[in-house]
């Protein structure tokens, strides 16, 4: 691919064939596996502030979801269930059995499906600014749907999805605007210069609008149970999801905790990465703080 990968110290990049999908994954550290699943309109670079600290303790695995970053952009497959299969296949290729995971946005939904499908493999899960899969279609939920106008706009076709909406999202979904630098925005937006990735965005949101949301509101996961211990992190200034939309589980979850980030938007891993790392370490049962990190070891 013509685009260069941005440099981050002590990170190795691999391209693996996963069920016919050429998949890019960024790797760092040597320890228990920890999978970081990015959202839209981002890719593995979303985790740039967290990879180094987490790599002191974990084998950090940051794949690009299909159609985004440097993973192939096929014409089909832009559904959460397919993406969960992609990640499970990638972990099999890497020889990973048990793992922990952190997911955000689209990666957050993918992480939920991995937890529901493979509770024997996932030890802990952290969902960041991601709607609960057990959300019910209450009047309040339906009224809040107006926040998600970008879904219909992206689903309509490539005209806006090609640049306008991704750029608008990176600027306006970040409450602490200084945290998302112009250089970072440029790294994320460069992928949308490739027509296949624009088409992938349309595919993501068209499937979401016509298939996933109707199934979700119809109670697709009504009889499922989330058995993996789960921590929900949500910014109280997220313009997409109110806190209530991320924490509705009823009796469908065995162990769920919620932490609200004050004055943080849709991108806590960018706006308050140190706190995300601290909460993750605490939730995983390790020392809370990783201040003054030493140089993380390279992935073998």
């Amino acid at each position: 691919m013509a685009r260069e990968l941005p440099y981050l110290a002590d990170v190795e990049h691999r391209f693996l064939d996963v069920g016919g999908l050429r998949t890019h994954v960024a790797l760092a550290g040597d320890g228990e596996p920890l999978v970081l699943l990015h959202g839209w309109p981002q890719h593995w670079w979303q985790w740039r502030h967290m990879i180094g600290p987490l790599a002191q303790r974990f084998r950090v695995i940051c794949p690009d979801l299909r159609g985004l970053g440097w993973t192939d952009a096929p014409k089909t497959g832009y559904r959460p269930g397919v993406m969960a299969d992609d990640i499970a296949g990638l972990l099999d290729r890497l020889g990973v059995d048990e793992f922990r995971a952190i997911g955000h946005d689209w990666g957050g939904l993918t992480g939920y499906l991995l937890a529901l499908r493979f509770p024997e493999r996932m030890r802990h899960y952290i969902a960041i600014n991601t709607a609960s899969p057990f959300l019910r279609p209450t009047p309040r939920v339906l009224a809040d749907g107006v926040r998600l106008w970008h879904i219909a706009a992206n689903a309509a076709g490539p005209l806006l999805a090609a640049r306008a909406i991704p750029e608008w999202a990176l600027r306006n979904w970040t409450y602490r605007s200084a945290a998302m630098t112009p250089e970072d925005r440029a790294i994320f937006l460069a992928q949308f210069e490739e027509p296949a990735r624009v088409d992938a965005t349309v595919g993501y949101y068209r499937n979401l609008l016509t298939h996933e949301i109707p199934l979700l509101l119809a109670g697709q996961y009504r009889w499922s149970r989330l058995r993996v211990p789960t921590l929900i992190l949500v910014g109280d200034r997220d313009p997409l999801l109110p806190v209530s939309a991320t924490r509705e589980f009823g009796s469908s979850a065995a162990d769920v905790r919620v932490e609200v980030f004050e004055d943080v938007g849709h991108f806590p891993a960018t706006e308050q990465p140190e706190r995300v790392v601290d909460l993750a370490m605490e939730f995983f049962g390790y020392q809370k703080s990783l201040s003054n990190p030493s140089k993380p070891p390279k992935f073998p």
Side-chain angles (χ1 to χ4, degrees):
M1 298 181 184
R3 280 182 299 120
E4 291 186 4
L5 283 154
Y7 173 77
L8 194 64
D10 298 299
V11 169
E12 177 190 353
H13 298 277
R14 293 188 189 177
F15 290 86
L16 300 173
D17 185 304
V18 179
L21 182 74
R22 187 173 184 263
T23 301
H24 167 252
V25 58
L27 304 159
D30 183 15
E32 299 176 38
L34 173 59
V35 183
L36 307 184
L37 301 169
H38 68 84
W40 183 93
Q42 299 180 296
H43 42 60
W44 75 274
W45 189 248
Q46 170 179 338
W47 308 109
R48 60 200 176 279
H49 301 306
M50 294 173 50
I51 290 174
L54 290 172
Q56 295 175 72
R57 180 77 67 176
F58 297 102
R59 176 186 183 186
V60 181
I61 302 169
C62 303
D64 283 335
L65 300 179
R66 64 168 54 213
L68 293 169
W70 285 262
T71 291
D72 273 354
K75 294 185 179 299
T76 61
Y78 298 104
R79 296 178 57 183
V82 177
M83 291 186 289
D85 290 340
D86 291 343
I87 301 305
L90 173 66
L91 295 177
D92 290 342
R93 284 295 312 271
L94 291 172
V96 171
D97 185 15
E98 292 188 354
F99 62 96
R100 296 177 173 90
I102 302 175
H104 170 255
D105 190 83
W106 277 97
L109 183 53
T110 302
Y112 271 128
L113 293 189
L114 288 168
L116 292 172
R117 292 181 178 184
F118 306 106
E120 74 285 354
R121 296 182 67 176
M122 188 183 288
R123 297 180 60 184
H124 296 90
Y125 180 51
I126 299 177
I128 304 177
N129 287 65
T130 303
S132 165
F134 302 100
L135 194 64
R136 294 175 298 165
T138 63
R140 180 177 178 180
V141 167
L142 296 176
D144 282 332
V146 70
R147 299 174 180 232
L148 305 177
W149 62 267
H150 72 287
I151 294 177
N154 276 335
L159 181 61
L160 295 176
R163 182 81 182 196
I165 297 179
E167 185 168 7
W168 185 92
L170 291 170
R171 289 182 180 276
N172 291 279
W173 296 353
T174 309
Y175 185 74
R176 301 185 181 203
S177 57
M180 184 77 72
T181 68
E183 292 78 15
D184 289 327
R185 287 197 298 271
I187 288 170
F188 292 127
L189 291 172
Q191 63 187 319
F192 298 105
E193 296 173 7
E194 300 173 21
R197 301 197 182 280
V198 176
D199 291 341
T201 286
V202 175
Y204 270 115
Y205 285 96
R206 191 167 287 172
N207 280 322
L208 183 63
L209 186 65
T210 62
H211 189 82
E212 301 301 331
I213 290 178
L215 286 176
L216 182 67
L217 296 180
Q220 179 181 15
Y221 302 105
R222 182 180 304 157
W223 308 114
S224 302
R225 184 164 174 78
L226 182 64
R227 303 184 184 280
V228 176
T230 298
L231 173 64
I232 295 169
L233 306 181
V234 56
D236 69 346
R237 300 287 185 161
D238 184 0
L240 302 184
L241 296 171
V243 174
S244 59
T246 68
R247 64 195 304 172
E248 183 177 316
F249 289 86
S251 61
S252 298
D255 182 359
V256 173
R257 312 170 208 178
V258 180
E259 289 281 346
V260 178
F261 286 50
E262 294 184 0
D263 296 327
V264 170
H266 189 62
F267 303 111
T270 296
E271 298 180 56
Q272 278 197 336
E274 298 88 355
R275 188 177 177 209
V276 176
V277 170
D278 280 348
L279 288 170
M281 295 299 294
E282 187 176 46
F283 181 59
F284 296 154
Y286 292 99
Q287 178 183 346
K288 182 175 180 180
S289 178
L290 286 174
S291 58
N292 299 319
S294 59
K295 184 178 180 180
K298 286 190 175 182
F299 186 85

